[in-house]
Amino acid sequence: MSFLQKCWHKNTLLTFVLLPLSWFYCALVMLREVLYRLGVKRIVRLPVPVVVVGNITVGGTGKTPLVLWLVRFLNQRGYRPGIVARGYRGRSATWPLRVHPESDPQMTGDEPVLLARNTPCPVVVGPDRAGAAQVLVHEDHCDVIVSDDGLQHYAMARDIEIAVIDGDRRFGNGHCLPAGPLREPLGRLRRVNTRVTNGKPQAGELGMQLEHLGFRRVDVSDVEKPPTAFAGERVHAIAGIGNPQRFFDHLRTLGIEVVEHEFPDHHRFRESDVRFSDEAPVIMTEKDAVKCKHIVGDRHWYLAVEARPDPALGNLVLALLEQGSATGVRPHKGGARDE
């Protein structure tokens, strides 16, 4: 975690120095949203419902595990969901791009590959999410689109917004970038359909827990060990995610002695990052594992987790989707142009 990110969780002298820039940033964010609402900037409305799972803070909150839970939930209820994502840091020269379990995360981004490996639902990525979603609608005949992140991507109309909150870090010092971790002012949360907290929820929020499924070999994921497999052992723990400390703490709850190795979010790993001089096991997140398959050995494992949100979330999503289907008027947010 950078020095600036550490400052985001309290008010320091640097916070007050950066506040004028934060006010300017907030003004630009609000102006941009107004331009979309007034129709000055173009919004694309898809012929099927769109559910956005996002957040208003920089860094990981647990969006991707929740997206996986949501598409499985919808699939079990008879829907045919498809997933769109931006493909952050993907180097592909052409977009939109279809993602498969064996896709190169350097081309597509790491999280889309994780999604493709854990669900049979089609995944398409691209900076233009609406364009990626149109591929899912027209080629895969998806009847609902789930966007991994994209709460701030107003160019794509959405019918349901789910904001995910980090239950440990919450909103830091409450300021917008660069003085704090907020992508948008806190008032934005009043306009989402529901807030889901990864951890202990507060009033007006639904809770979500990440259940430990066990450990899987990075190079051969069908080789598994139970969650208790490394209890009492000393391991090297690697995390290149938005909140590495949450991962390290998860491992400690399993009785593991952790040697922490923290990297920036979406870090491009090299062999020297993941190999150590001793014989201790190496454990990483699944998001990091998708980038390390070809540079690891038989001592490298990832911790598989699965989201367990409050059952009220599924009921809410179904009610909103069925409400739109019954009335013929989908409860979308903001103006839009049909595509």
Side-chain angles (χ1 to χ4, degrees):
M1 184 182 296
S2 69
F3 172 74
L4 181 59
Q5 288 175 308
K6 291 177 181 178
C7 292
W8 286 346
H9 301 286
K10 56 185 176 181
N11 287 315
T12 66
L13 178 60
L14 181 60
T15 306
F16 295 104
V17 170
L18 294 175
L19 271 180
L21 290 176
S22 289
W23 297 332
F24 180 67
Y25 171 88
C26 284
L28 290 178
V29 166
M30 290 186 287
L31 174 62
R32 176 174 172 271
E33 184 179 356
V34 168
L35 292 176
Y36 275 112
R37 287 183 177 275
L38 294 177
V40 177
K41 292 179 75 69
R42 181 171 177 264
I43 298 177
V44 176
R45 178 166 172 76
L46 297 162
V48 301
V50 175
V51 183
V52 173
V53 180
N55 63 6
I56 66 166
T57 54
V58 173
T61 55
K63 297 184 303 296
T64 300
L66 185 59
V67 166
L68 286 170
W69 174 87
L70 181 59
V71 295
R72 290 170 185 150
F73 175 84
L74 291 172
N75 188 260
Q76 291 167 1
R77 268 70 182 178
Y79 286 92
R80 183 178 175 81
I83 302 172
V84 294
R86 180 171 179 257
Y88 180 69
R89 295 195 71 180
R91 295 177 175 176
S92 175
T94 58
W95 306 100
L97 184 65
R98 189 176 294 277
V99 185
H100 303 283
E102 297 306 318
S103 292
D104 183 353
Q106 293 201 36
M107 295 294 105
T108 66
D110 45 27
E111 287 165 341
V113 176
L114 188 156
L115 290 165
R117 289 185 180 183
N118 286 278
T119 174
C121 297
V123 180
V124 177
V125 299
D128 174 8
R129 284 185 177 85
Q134 287 165 1
V135 173
L136 293 167
V137 173
H138 298 303
E139 296 183 10
D140 297 281
H141 309 292
C142 294
D143 55 13
V144 59
I145 302 299
V146 178
S147 178
D148 183 13
D149 208 357
L151 207 59
Q152 293 78 34
H153 188 76
Y154 293 111
M156 182 173 68
R158 66 287 309 272
D159 303 271
I160 302 172
E161 290 184 333
I162 301 171
V164 186
I165 299 168
D166 185 323
D168 295 331
R169 299 186 298 181
R170 301 290 300 179
F171 311 109
N173 58 18
H175 298 300
C176 282
L177 293 165
L182 297 183
R183 299 175 177 180
E184 296 183 279
L186 279 171
R188 176 69 170 87
L189 291 177
R190 292 195 293 269
R191 302 196 299 277
V192 302
N193 294 94
T194 190
R195 291 166 281 172
V196 176
T197 300
N198 184 1
K200 186 176 180 181
Q202 295 188 7
E205 301 169 358
L206 300 177
M208 177 180 84
Q209 301 296 326
L210 294 180
E211 179 183 344
H212 305 134
L213 301 181
F215 297 95
R216 296 172 185 167
R217 272 259 301 273
V218 174
D219 58 344
V220 188
S221 61
D222 57 350
V223 177
E224 303 181 11
K225 289 188 176 184
T228 56
F230 297 101
E233 289 192 51
R234 175 181 172 275
V235 308
H236 293 283
I238 294 173
I241 58 176
N243 185 0
Q245 197 57 52
R246 178 189 291 276
F247 175 65
F248 300 145
D249 290 344
H250 278 172
L251 294 181
R252 291 189 174 100
T253 65
L254 298 174
I256 298 172
E257 181 185 343
V258 174
V259 179
E260 300 179 4
H261 301 275
E262 180 179 323
F263 294 89
D265 197 11
H266 301 284
H267 180 68
R268 296 189 188 281
F269 287 93
R270 298 172 297 179
E271 190 169 353
S272 58
D273 295 328
V274 300
R275 291 184 178 270
F276 304 95
S277 57
D278 59 23
E279 295 299 314
V282 180
I283 299 176
M284 60 184 68
T285 71
E286 186 171 5
K287 176 178 161 181
D288 296 323
V290 300
K291 297 176 286 189
C292 296
K293 183 175 181 178
H294 302 295
I295 59 173
V296 297
D298 58 8
R299 293 188 295 110
H300 293 75
W301 302 81
Y302 68 85
L303 177 62
V305 299
E306 192 169 82
R308 288 285 185 267
D310 188 315
L313 177 63
N315 295 333
L316 174 64
V317 170
L318 288 179
L320 289 171
L321 291 174
E322 290 167 4
Q323 171 190 330
S325 175
T327 63
V329 179
R330 286 155 42 200
H332 68 282
K333 296 177 176 293
R337 179 179 303 174
D338 289 336
E339 287 285 326

mmCIF file of all heavy atoms in Angstrom, residues 85-121:
data_model
loop_
_atom_site.group_PDB
_atom_site.id
_atom_site.type_symbol
_atom_site.label_atom_id
_atom_site.label_comp_id
_atom_site.label_asym_id
_atom_site.label_seq_id
_atom_site.Cartn_x
_atom_site.Cartn_y
_atom_site.Cartn_z
ATOM 1 N N ALA A 85 -17.096 -6.507 -18.266
ATOM 2 C CA ALA A 85 -16.118 -5.825 -17.428
ATOM 3 C C ALA A 85 -15.268 -4.935 -18.327
ATOM 4 O O ALA A 85 -15.272 -5.090 -19.559
ATOM 5 C CB ALA A 85 -15.240 -6.824 -16.665
ATOM 6 N N ARG A 86 -14.543 -4.046 -17.718
ATOM 7 C CA ARG A 86 -13.728 -3.116 -18.497
ATOM 8 C C ARG A 86 -12.491 -3.786 -19.088
ATOM 9 O O ARG A 86 -11.982 -3.389 -20.132
ATOM 10 C CB ARG A 86 -13.293 -1.947 -17.607
ATOM 11 C CG ARG A 86 -12.431 -0.914 -18.327
ATOM 12 C CD ARG A 86 -12.218 0.306 -17.450
ATOM 13 N NE ARG A 86 -11.370 1.300 -18.118
ATOM 14 C CZ ARG A 86 -10.089 1.510 -17.836
ATOM 15 N NH1 ARG A 86 -9.502 0.775 -16.897
ATOM 16 N NH2 ARG A 86 -9.401 2.426 -18.467
ATOM 17 N N GLY A 87 -11.972 -4.804 -18.400
ATOM 18 C CA GLY A 87 -10.712 -5.401 -18.831
ATOM 19 C C GLY A 87 -9.540 -4.529 -18.422
ATOM 20 O O GLY A 87 -8.600 -4.304 -19.200
ATOM 21 N N TYR A 88 -9.591 -4.057 -17.163
ATOM 22 C CA TYR A 88 -8.596 -3.105 -16.675
ATOM 23 C C TYR A 88 -7.177 -3.638 -16.846
ATOM 24 O O TYR A 88 -6.882 -4.769 -16.479
ATOM 25 C CB TYR A 88 -8.873 -2.794 -15.201
ATOM 26 C CG TYR A 88 -7.907 -1.818 -14.590
ATOM 27 C CD1 TYR A 88 -7.903 -0.479 -14.974
ATOM 28 C CD2 TYR A 88 -6.999 -2.225 -13.626
ATOM 29 C CE1 TYR A 88 -7.016 0.426 -14.412
ATOM 30 C CE2 TYR A 88 -6.104 -1.337 -13.056
ATOM 31 C CZ TYR A 88 -6.126 -0.013 -13.465
ATOM 32 O OH TYR A 88 -5.230 0.874 -12.911
ATOM 33 N N ARG A 89 -6.311 -2.828 -17.439
ATOM 34 C CA ARG A 89 -4.906 -3.114 -17.710
ATOM 35 C C ARG A 89 -4.715 -4.206 -18.766
ATOM 36 O O ARG A 89 -3.598 -4.676 -18.982
ATOM 37 C CB ARG A 89 -4.146 -3.476 -16.429
ATOM 38 C CG ARG A 89 -4.062 -2.320 -15.440
ATOM 39 C CD ARG A 89 -3.039 -2.567 -14.379
ATOM 40 N NE ARG A 89 -1.677 -2.481 -14.909
ATOM 41 C CZ ARG A 89 -0.587 -2.650 -14.173
ATOM 42 N NH1 ARG A 89 -0.696 -2.930 -12.874
ATOM 43 N NH2 ARG A 89 0.601 -2.564 -14.716
ATOM 44 N N GLY A 90 -5.785 -4.604 -19.418
ATOM 45 C CA GLY A 90 -5.651 -5.540 -20.523
ATOM 46 C C GLY A 90 -4.984 -4.862 -21.712
ATOM 47 O O GLY A 90 -5.253 -3.697 -22.012
ATOM 48 N N ARG A 91 -4.119 -5.583 -22.405
ATOM 49 C CA ARG A 91 -3.319 -5.006 -23.487
ATOM 50 C C ARG A 91 -3.829 -5.344 -24.875
ATOM 51 O O ARG A 91 -3.134 -5.114 -25.871
ATOM 52 C CB ARG A 91 -1.872 -5.495 -23.356
ATOM 53 C CG ARG A 91 -1.170 -5.006 -22.102
ATOM 54 C CD ARG A 91 0.232 -5.596 -22.015
ATOM 55 N NE ARG A 91 0.986 -5.055 -20.891
ATOM 56 C CZ ARG A 91 2.206 -5.464 -20.556
ATOM 57 N NH1 ARG A 91 2.808 -6.407 -21.269
ATOM 58 N NH2 ARG A 91 2.818 -4.930 -19.519
ATOM 59 N N SER A 92 -5.028 -5.894 -24.984
ATOM 60 C CA SER A 92 -5.555 -6.261 -26.282
ATOM 61 C C SER A 92 -5.627 -5.033 -27.197
ATOM 62 O O SER A 92 -5.960 -3.928 -26.750
ATOM 63 C CB SER A 92 -6.946 -6.875 -26.145
ATOM 64 O OG SER A 92 -7.517 -7.128 -27.405
ATOM 65 N N ALA A 93 -5.342 -5.251 -28.477
ATOM 66 C CA ALA A 93 -5.407 -4.158 -29.450
ATOM 67 C C ALA A 93 -6.815 -3.975 -29.994
ATOM 68 O O ALA A 93 -7.109 -2.959 -30.635
ATOM 69 C CB ALA A 93 -4.438 -4.427 -30.598
ATOM 70 N N THR A 94 -7.692 -4.953 -29.766
ATOM 71 C CA THR A 94 -9.060 -4.875 -30.266
ATOM 72 C C THR A 94 -10.049 -5.147 -29.141
ATOM 73 O O THR A 94 -9.842 -6.033 -28.318
ATOM 74 C CB THR A 94 -9.290 -5.901 -31.397
ATOM 75 O OG1 THR A 94 -9.000 -7.224 -30.910
ATOM 76 C CG2 THR A 94 -8.375 -5.597 -32.581
ATOM 77 N N TRP A 95 -11.127 -4.389 -29.139
ATOM 78 C CA TRP A 95 -12.213 -4.546 -28.171
ATOM 79 C C TRP A 95 -13.538 -4.456 -28.930
ATOM 80 O O TRP A 95 -13.588 -3.821 -29.969
ATOM 81 C CB TRP A 95 -12.154 -3.444 -27.110
ATOM 82 C CG TRP A 95 -10.853 -3.309 -26.394
ATOM 83 C CD1 TRP A 95 -9.894 -2.380 -26.655
ATOM 84 C CD2 TRP A 95 -10.372 -4.075 -25.289
ATOM 85 N NE1 TRP A 95 -8.834 -2.529 -25.790
ATOM 86 C CE2 TRP A 95 -9.099 -3.563 -24.939
ATOM 87 C CE3 TRP A 95 -10.881 -5.145 -24.552
ATOM 88 C CZ2 TRP A 95 -8.351 -4.092 -23.890
ATOM 89 C CZ3 TRP A 95 -10.137 -5.661 -23.516
ATOM 90 C CH2 TRP A 95 -8.882 -5.138 -23.192
ATOM 91 N N PRO A 96 -14.605 -5.074 -28.415
ATOM 92 C CA PRO A 96 -14.683 -5.929 -27.224
ATOM 93 C C PRO A 96 -13.998 -7.275 -27.454
ATOM 94 O O PRO A 96 -13.794 -7.693 -28.592
ATOM 95 C CB PRO A 96 -16.178 -6.077 -26.997
ATOM 96 C CG PRO A 96 -16.789 -5.874 -28.339
ATOM 97 C CD PRO A 96 -15.923 -4.897 -29.054
ATOM 98 N N LEU A 97 -13.694 -7.945 -26.352
ATOM 99 C CA LEU A 97 -12.926 -9.178 -26.385
ATOM 100 C C LEU A 97 -13.623 -10.242 -25.547
ATOM 101 O O LEU A 97 -13.940 -10.009 -24.375
ATOM 102 C CB LEU A 97 -11.522 -8.925 -25.853
ATOM 103 C CG LEU A 97 -10.524 -10.087 -25.893
ATOM 104 C CD1 LEU A 97 -10.211 -10.471 -27.335
ATOM 105 C CD2 LEU A 97 -9.246 -9.698 -25.158
ATOM 106 N N ARG A 98 -13.850 -11.398 -26.142
ATOM 107 C CA ARG A 98 -14.457 -12.501 -25.398
ATOM 108 C C ARG A 98 -13.382 -13.169 -24.531
ATOM 109 O O ARG A 98 -12.248 -13.375 -24.986
ATOM 110 C CB ARG A 98 -15.062 -13.519 -26.364
ATOM 111 C CG ARG A 98 -15.900 -14.593 -25.695
ATOM 112 C CD ARG A 98 -16.533 -15.496 -26.733
ATOM 113 N NE ARG A 98 -17.513 -14.795 -27.547
ATOM 114 C CZ ARG A 98 -18.787 -14.598 -27.178
ATOM 115 N NH1 ARG A 98 -19.216 -15.043 -26.007
ATOM 116 N NH2 ARG A 98 -19.623 -13.970 -27.971
ATOM 117 N N VAL A 99 -13.746 -13.510 -23.288
ATOM 118 C CA VAL A 99 -12.798 -14.085 -22.334
ATOM 119 C C VAL A 99 -13.138 -15.543 -22.074
ATOM 120 O O VAL A 99 -14.296 -15.887 -21.807
ATOM 121 C CB VAL A 99 -12.802 -13.300 -21.002
ATOM 122 C CG1 VAL A 99 -11.725 -13.837 -20.067
ATOM 123 C CG2 VAL A 99 -12.597 -11.815 -21.249
ATOM 124 N N HIS A 100 -12.111 -16.398 -22.139
ATOM 125 C CA HIS A 100 -12.252 -17.827 -21.870
ATOM 126 C C HIS A 100 -11.408 -18.198 -20.651
ATOM 127 O O HIS A 100 -10.527 -17.425 -20.240
ATOM 128 C CB HIS A 100 -11.802 -18.632 -23.092
ATOM 129 C CG HIS A 100 -12.537 -18.277 -24.344
ATOM 130 N ND1 HIS A 100 -13.812 -18.718 -24.604
ATOM 131 C CD2 HIS A 100 -12.171 -17.506 -25.410
ATOM 132 C CE1 HIS A 100 -14.211 -18.242 -25.770
ATOM 133 N NE2 HIS A 100 -13.235 -17.510 -26.285
ATOM 134 N N PRO A 101 -11.636 -19.369 -20.069
ATOM 135 C CA PRO A 101 -10.838 -19.767 -18.897
ATOM 136 C C PRO A 101 -9.335 -19.748 -19.138
ATOM 137 O O PRO A 101 -8.567 -19.492 -18.215
ATOM 138 C CB PRO A 101 -11.341 -21.186 -18.607
ATOM 139 C CG PRO A 101 -12.751 -21.183 -19.094
ATOM 140 C CD PRO A 101 -12.731 -20.333 -20.329
ATOM 141 N N GLU A 102 -8.897 -20.001 -20.368
ATOM 142 C CA GLU A 102 -7.465 -20.029 -20.660
ATOM 143 C C GLU A 102 -6.974 -18.749 -21.338
ATOM 144 O O GLU A 102 -5.859 -18.720 -21.873
ATOM 145 C CB GLU A 102 -7.138 -21.241 -21.538
ATOM 146 C CG GLU A 102 -7.410 -22.583 -20.874
ATOM 147 C CD GLU A 102 -6.703 -22.722 -19.526
ATOM 148 O OE1 GLU A 102 -5.531 -22.318 -19.431
ATOM 149 O OE2 GLU A 102 -7.328 -23.241 -18.583
ATOM 150 N N SER A 103 -7.773 -17.700 -21.329
ATOM 151 C CA SER A 103 -7.346 -16.428 -21.923
ATOM 152 C C SER A 103 -6.138 -15.870 -21.184
ATOM 153 O O SER A 103 -5.933 -16.137 -19.986
ATOM 154 C CB SER A 103 -8.488 -15.411 -21.877
ATOM 155 O OG SER A 103 -9.543 -15.776 -22.736
ATOM 156 N N ASP A 104 -5.345 -15.088 -21.889
ATOM 157 C CA ASP A 104 -4.163 -14.456 -21.305
ATOM 158 C C ASP A 104 -4.591 -13.233 -20.512
ATOM 159 O O ASP A 104 -5.107 -12.270 -21.089
ATOM 160 C CB ASP A 104 -3.206 -14.043 -22.426
ATOM 161 C CG ASP A 104 -1.903 -13.444 -21.903
ATOM 162 O OD1 ASP A 104 -1.795 -13.216 -20.679
ATOM 163 O OD2 ASP A 104 -1.006 -13.182 -22.722
ATOM 164 N N PRO A 105 -4.407 -13.233 -19.177
ATOM 165 C CA PRO A 105 -4.826 -12.081 -18.373
ATOM 166 C C PRO A 105 -4.109 -10.788 -18.743
ATOM 167 O O PRO A 105 -4.608 -9.706 -18.448
ATOM 168 C CB PRO A 105 -4.510 -12.510 -16.933
ATOM 169 C CG PRO A 105 -3.561 -13.646 -17.043
ATOM 170 C CD PRO A 105 -3.851 -14.309 -18.346
ATOM 171 N N GLN A 106 -2.947 -10.879 -19.394
ATOM 172 C CA GLN A 106 -2.279 -9.656 -19.837
ATOM 173 C C GLN A 106 -3.042 -9.001 -20.978
ATOM 174 O O GLN A 106 -2.947 -7.794 -21.175
ATOM 175 C CB GLN A 106 -0.844 -9.961 -20.273
ATOM 176 C CG GLN A 106 0.050 -10.385 -19.122
ATOM 177 C CD GLN A 106 1.520 -10.195 -19.447
ATOM 178 O OE1 GLN A 106 1.904 -9.245 -20.115
ATOM 179 N NE2 GLN A 106 2.343 -11.108 -18.971
ATOM 180 N N MET A 107 -3.823 -9.783 -21.716
ATOM 181 C CA MET A 107 -4.629 -9.234 -22.800
ATOM 182 C C MET A 107 -5.998 -8.766 -22.313
ATOM 183 O O MET A 107 -6.525 -7.754 -22.785
ATOM 184 C CB MET A 107 -4.814 -10.287 -23.902
ATOM 185 C CG MET A 107 -3.543 -10.695 -24.633
ATOM 186 S SD MET A 107 -2.829 -9.338 -25.607
ATOM 187 C CE MET A 107 -1.433 -8.882 -24.561
ATOM 188 N N THR A 108 -6.574 -9.504 -21.374
ATOM 189 C CA THR A 108 -7.962 -9.261 -20.976
ATOM 190 C C THR A 108 -8.116 -8.559 -19.636
ATOM 191 O O THR A 108 -9.201 -8.051 -19.333
ATOM 192 C CB THR A 108 -8.718 -10.593 -20.874
ATOM 193 O OG1 THR A 108 -8.160 -11.366 -19.799
ATOM 194 C CG2 THR A 108 -8.607 -11.385 -22.165
ATOM 195 N N GLY A 109 -7.036 -8.539 -18.818
ATOM 196 C CA GLY A 109 -7.172 -8.143 -17.425
ATOM 197 C C GLY A 109 -7.330 -9.383 -16.568
ATOM 198 O O GLY A 109 -7.780 -10.437 -17.052
ATOM 199 N N ASP A 110 -6.963 -9.298 -15.285
ATOM 200 C CA ASP A 110 -6.956 -10.490 -14.434
ATOM 201 C C ASP A 110 -8.343 -10.921 -13.965
ATOM 202 O O ASP A 110 -8.681 -12.110 -14.005
ATOM 203 C CB ASP A 110 -6.018 -10.304 -13.239
ATOM 204 C CG ASP A 110 -6.180 -8.951 -12.558
ATOM 205 O OD1 ASP A 110 -7.285 -8.368 -12.632
ATOM 206 O OD2 ASP A 110 -5.190 -8.469 -11.964
ATOM 207 N N GLU A 111 -9.173 -9.984 -13.528
ATOM 208 C CA GLU A 111 -10.469 -10.360 -12.974
ATOM 209 C C GLU A 111 -11.386 -11.035 -13.997
ATOM 210 O O GLU A 111 -12.093 -11.986 -13.654
ATOM 211 C CB GLU A 111 -11.140 -9.137 -12.349
ATOM 212 C CG GLU A 111 -10.471 -8.732 -11.040
ATOM 213 C CD GLU A 111 -10.852 -7.341 -10.586
ATOM 214 O OE1 GLU A 111 -11.326 -6.548 -11.430
ATOM 215 O OE2 GLU A 111 -10.665 -7.045 -9.382
ATOM 216 N N PRO A 112 -11.409 -10.604 -15.272
ATOM 217 C CA PRO A 112 -12.251 -11.315 -16.243
ATOM 218 C C PRO A 112 -11.876 -12.785 -16.414
ATOM 219 O O PRO A 112 -12.762 -13.634 -16.587
ATOM 220 C CB PRO A 112 -12.022 -10.520 -17.536
ATOM 221 C CG PRO A 112 -11.683 -9.137 -17.077
ATOM 222 C CD PRO A 112 -10.868 -9.351 -15.839
ATOM 223 N N VAL A 113 -10.580 -13.104 -16.361
ATOM 224 C CA VAL A 113 -10.183 -14.503 -16.470
ATOM 225 C C VAL A 113 -10.671 -15.287 -15.254
ATOM 226 O O VAL A 113 -11.148 -16.421 -15.371
ATOM 227 C CB VAL A 113 -8.655 -14.631 -16.626
ATOM 228 C CG1 VAL A 113 -8.233 -16.107 -16.646
ATOM 229 C CG2 VAL A 113 -8.184 -13.940 -17.897
ATOM 230 N N LEU A 114 -10.564 -14.692 -14.081
ATOM 231 C CA LEU A 114 -11.085 -15.329 -12.872
ATOM 232 C C LEU A 114 -12.579 -15.614 -13.034
ATOM 233 O O LEU A 114 -13.056 -16.704 -12.687
ATOM 234 C CB LEU A 114 -10.833 -14.427 -11.665
ATOM 235 C CG LEU A 114 -11.130 -14.979 -10.267
ATOM 236 C CD1 LEU A 114 -10.306 -14.221 -9.223
ATOM 237 C CD2 LEU A 114 -12.600 -14.852 -9.909
ATOM 238 N N LEU A 115 -13.324 -14.645 -13.571
ATOM 239 C CA LEU A 115 -14.759 -14.830 -13.787
ATOM 240 C C LEU A 115 -15.017 -15.974 -14.763
ATOM 241 O O LEU A 115 -15.871 -16.829 -14.525
ATOM 242 C CB LEU A 115 -15.375 -13.533 -14.314
ATOM 243 C CG LEU A 115 -15.464 -12.371 -13.318
ATOM 244 C CD1 LEU A 115 -15.750 -11.065 -14.055
ATOM 245 C CD2 LEU A 115 -16.542 -12.636 -12.275
ATOM 246 N N ALA A 116 -14.275 -15.982 -15.872
ATOM 247 C CA ALA A 116 -14.487 -17.015 -16.892
ATOM 248 C C ALA A 116 -14.171 -18.405 -16.366
ATOM 249 O O ALA A 116 -14.787 -19.391 -16.799
ATOM 250 C CB ALA A 116 -13.632 -16.702 -18.114
ATOM 251 N N ARG A 117 -13.220 -18.520 -15.434
ATOM 252 C CA ARG A 117 -12.846 -19.826 -14.894
ATOM 253 C C ARG A 117 -13.852 -20.359 -13.887
ATOM 254 O O ARG A 117 -13.854 -21.542 -13.589
ATOM 255 C CB ARG A 117 -11.471 -19.725 -14.230
ATOM 256 C CG ARG A 117 -10.327 -19.548 -15.211
ATOM 257 C CD ARG A 117 -8.988 -19.569 -14.509
ATOM 258 N NE ARG A 117 -7.883 -19.397 -15.447
ATOM 259 C CZ ARG A 117 -6.600 -19.425 -15.108
ATOM 260 N NH1 ARG A 117 -6.261 -19.619 -13.839
ATOM 261 N NH2 ARG A 117 -5.660 -19.256 -16.019
ATOM 262 N N ASN A 118 -14.691 -19.479 -13.362
ATOM 263 C CA ASN A 118 -15.561 -19.892 -12.265
ATOM 264 C C ASN A 118 -17.045 -19.884 -12.597
ATOM 265 O O ASN A 118 -17.874 -20.087 -11.709
ATOM 266 C CB ASN A 118 -15.302 -19.011 -11.040
ATOM 267 C CG ASN A 118 -13.997 -19.341 -10.356
ATOM 268 O OD1 ASN A 118 -13.919 -20.285 -9.569
ATOM 269 N ND2 ASN A 118 -12.961 -18.577 -10.653
ATOM 270 N N THR A 119 -17.376 -19.645 -13.860
ATOM 271 C CA THR A 119 -18.782 -19.676 -14.241
ATOM 272 C C THR A 119 -18.884 -20.079 -15.712
ATOM 273 O O THR A 119 -18.018 -19.729 -16.514
ATOM 274 C CB THR A 119 -19.458 -18.313 -14.038
ATOM 275 O OG1 THR A 119 -20.799 -18.363 -14.553
ATOM 276 C CG2 THR A 119 -18.717 -17.203 -14.758
ATOM 277 N N PRO A 120 -19.934 -20.810 -16.077
ATOM 278 C CA PRO A 120 -20.151 -21.129 -17.489
ATOM 279 C C PRO A 120 -20.749 -19.959 -18.266
ATOM 280 O O PRO A 120 -20.888 -20.038 -19.490
ATOM 281 C CB PRO A 120 -21.119 -22.312 -17.431
ATOM 282 C CG PRO A 120 -21.885 -22.098 -16.163
ATOM 283 C CD PRO A 120 -20.895 -21.499 -15.200
ATOM 284 N N CYS A 121 -21.096 -18.875 -17.576
ATOM 285 C CA CYS A 121 -21.685 -17.720 -18.244
ATOM 286 C C CYS A 121 -20.656 -17.040 -19.139
ATOM 287 O O CYS A 121 -19.478 -16.949 -18.787
ATOM 288 C CB CYS A 121 -22.189 -16.709 -17.214
ATOM 289 S SG CYS A 121 -23.502 -17.339 -16.151
#
